[in-house]
Amino acid sequence: MALRFYNTLSQQVEDFTPATDNTVRMYTCGPTVYDFAHIGNFRTFTFVDLLRKCLRANGFHLNHVMNITDVDDNIIRNAVARHQPLAEYTRIYTEAFLQDCTALRLERPERLALATEHIQDMVEAIERLGQGQHTYSTEGSVYFKIASFPPYGKLSHNDFSGNLAGARVDVDNYEKADARDFALWKTPKEGEPFWETAIGPGRPGWHIECSVMAMKYLGETLDIHAGGIDLVFPHHENEIAQSESLTGKPFSRFWLHSEFLMVEGQKMSKSAGNYYTLRDLVGKGHAPESIRYLLASVPYRRALNFTIDGLKAAAIAIDRLRNFKLRLETDRCPDGLNQQLAARTAQATQAFTESINDDLNTAEALAAVFEFVRDANSAMDAGEFRAGNAPAALEFLSLFDSIFDVLKPSAQAGELSDADIEARVAQRAAAKKARDFALSDQIRDQLLEQGIILEDTKSGVRWKRK
Ligand code: AMP
Ligand code: ZN
């Protein structure tokens, strides 16, 4: 079944293939590095990672650029308050962000682009917008004239025709009611850092960086542009206005936006103070893969309510899958093939793929996995599972993990539960009984790696935590 995505621009679910060759040209908006990212931010970045993995599973290559916003209103405010040079201040949070991405197993885009390394490109774009009568300057700042771009509003599906003229807005982020001429270039206030350029001293507004870096590396028309739902307006609307005014071509064919991570009915955000960072949660003993699983488990266009109970349930779900995998790898089943189970495996595999390809319906994809695990476990318990069924079942798990990426435990993952350990000890005993000493040693070593020591005593095996 064809790969389909909901496109914010057309408000339709559309079949997706890249425009020119087998490579998807994709741009996603990255973090503003003024503080640690919270797991609400990471819901969006996890969605982008799932998107990458889904595109790859469909046989496409990726050329994906993500920006790091290392100059904006918040960064300047904080760096100035701490008397720190901008670059020194932002490097701390850029590195922290990349470490968190690694912990959450988020793939690195093909290119990370820092805004501050593209100031000259932005200045040139602003000059060209000026030549096209899309800008005006006031007191050293340059503004984009939204009345010069009649389709303004086409992404957020707002009719701004009544209020396109006149007022300006200086802050980088604002509400829909403030649909006004926005700043491309901001003149420095007293004590603020700035760049000396052909259009005067100052710094770029937030929106121009993404237009410029996206087109520099990916061409005038992208296949996919993605980000959190709060970026539709004004950020992406402004990116379209800038880019399409420069090229006269559609800026991106597909626009994908992920819904919020919520806490008790409110968006998780710095300003509301209702947020957790990854570090907070890992520090409390939650494994990064449980957080990844939780963030991935609800389809990206549905709001996801964050709770600690939800996180615990995610850990249990992962354990169930790991135990099932271990069982497939270690249980001795009679030779042969159970045809009915083979058909069931093929059906579950297909259901999983179709769900992922259906606009990344991760909830349905997980349902396909867990229904299969339940059936396969029952077949094993009933002695109906055959050795010949294991490879396809393992392949299905590996397909699942090529998207969800949670089966391998993190080095810093929380401790195994007692029940997990007991199950593994029992598997080792069975292996020993079958005189499969290589396997029994392997299980002992794997447990040791996770800090569990086994002792063979006369009365059986005892285990303890290191
Ligand atoms: P920022 O660092 O503020 O520029 O945000 C980085 C990304 O996180 C953007 O794509 C935002 O849309 C996204 N984001 C911010 N808060 C949330 C949230 N509560 N849930 C999901 N995504 C969010
Ligand atoms: Zn952006």
Side-chain angles (χ1 to χ4, degrees), residues 29-32 34 38 40-45 206 227-231 258-262 267-269:
C29 294
T32 307
Y34 73 100
H38 57 67
N41 300 129
F42 281 115
R43 182 187 190 193
T44 293
F45 299 122
W206 171 32
I229 191 87
D230 53 340
L231 301 189
S258 58
E259 268 293 344
F260 291 138
L261 185 68
M262 314 287 286
K267 174 190 174 191
M268 181 179 284
S269 70

Side-chain angles (χ1 to χ4, degrees), residues 38-338:
H38 57 67
I39 57 162
N41 300 129
F42 281 115
R43 182 187 190 193
T44 293
F45 299 122
T46 302
F47 147 65
V48 168
D49 187 64
L50 296 172
L51 179 59
R52 281 182 61 92
K53 290 176 162 110
C54 159
L55 290 165
R56 193 165 320 97
N58 277 274
F60 301 128
H61 297 293
L62 290 160
N63 188 5
H64 169 199
V65 177
M66 184 172 82
N67 65 308
I68 303 276
T69 300
D70 57 352
V71 52
D72 94 322
D73 296 341
N74 290 323
I75 292 173
I76 291 190
R77 186 196 59 223
N78 291 6
V80 167
R82 293 198 198 176
H83 306 288
Q84 238 177 335
L86 217 52
E88 198 178 287
Y89 176 74
T90 56
R91 194 167 47 239
I92 301 165
Y93 297 108
T94 306
E95 278 169 15
F97 172 73
L98 295 176
Q99 279 166 4
D100 289 355
C101 287
T102 305
L104 284 172
R105 305 173 186 191
L106 308 181
E107 293 174 13
R108 281 282 165 94
E110 279 58 40
R111 181 185 291 275
L112 285 176
L114 297 187
T116 53
E117 290 178 358
H118 296 80
I119 302 289
Q120 182 53 26
D121 298 299
M122 295 183 219
V123 166
E124 284 164 24
I126 295 169
E127 283 179 317
R128 283 200 288 130
L129 283 171
Q131 287 149 17
Q133 312 301 317
H134 293 288
T135 71
Y136 60 90
S137 303
T138 309
E139 293 155 13
S141 292
V142 185
Y143 294 87
F144 185 94
K145 206 191 300 172
I146 58 175
S148 74
F149 185 70
Y152 193 80
K154 70 176 172 177
L155 182 69
S156 51
H157 302 280
N158 284 307
D159 181 3
F160 290 126
S161 52
N163 58 350
L164 287 187
R168 302 184 298 273
V169 54
D170 279 294
V171 289
D172 283 328
N173 221 337
Y174 45 87
E175 301 297 319
K176 280 197 180 82
D178 283 326
R180 303 198 184 142
D181 298 341
F182 58 90
L184 295 164
W185 188 255
K186 303 191 189 196
T187 192
K189 295 197 192 83
E190 184 66 34
E192 284 185 350
F194 60 90
W195 282 261
E196 198 60 74
T197 72
I199 53 174
R203 63 180 159 100
W206 171 32
H207 316 294
I208 192 69
E209 78 178 74
C210 287
S211 286
V212 164
M213 298 194 290
M215 292 196 292
K216 174 167 179 151
Y217 296 115
L218 299 171
E220 292 177 340
T221 300
L222 319 174
D223 289 309
I224 300 179
H225 196 314
I229 191 87
D230 53 340
L231 301 189
V232 174
F233 187 89
H235 186 52
H236 289 165
E237 198 72 74
N238 292 352
E239 283 190 42
I240 290 179
Q242 297 161 150
S243 305
E244 300 191 0
S245 296
L246 283 167
T247 67
K249 297 188 183 137
F251 178 39
S252 182
R253 298 168 52 235
F254 282 74
W255 289 85
L256 273 57
H257 293 100
S258 58
E259 268 293 344
F260 291 138
L261 185 68
M262 314 287 286
V263 185
E264 288 165 10
Q266 242 196 318
K267 174 190 174 191
M268 181 179 284
S269 70
K270 290 265 159 59
S271 52
N274 59 353
Y275 65 92
Y276 290 96
T277 64
L278 182 65
R279 286 139 201 265
D280 294 335
L281 293 172
V282 170
K284 291 192 170 114
H286 299 285
E289 60 269 30
S290 305
I291 300 160
R292 176 179 169 91
Y293 182 99
L294 178 66
L295 296 178
S297 61
V298 171
Y300 73 95
R301 287 204 296 125
R302 266 198 251 150
L304 160 55
N305 197 43
F306 177 80
T307 60
I308 294 291
D309 280 348
L311 195 50
K312 288 183 183 156
I316 291 168
I318 296 173
D319 260 359
R320 189 162 153 73
L321 296 176
R322 286 180 182 163
N323 287 337
F324 176 61
K325 181 160 180 273
L326 194 71
R327 203 174 175 191
L328 285 174
E329 285 164 346
T330 56
D331 267 21
R332 307 273 126 185
C333 298
D335 285 343
L337 186 73
N338 174 335

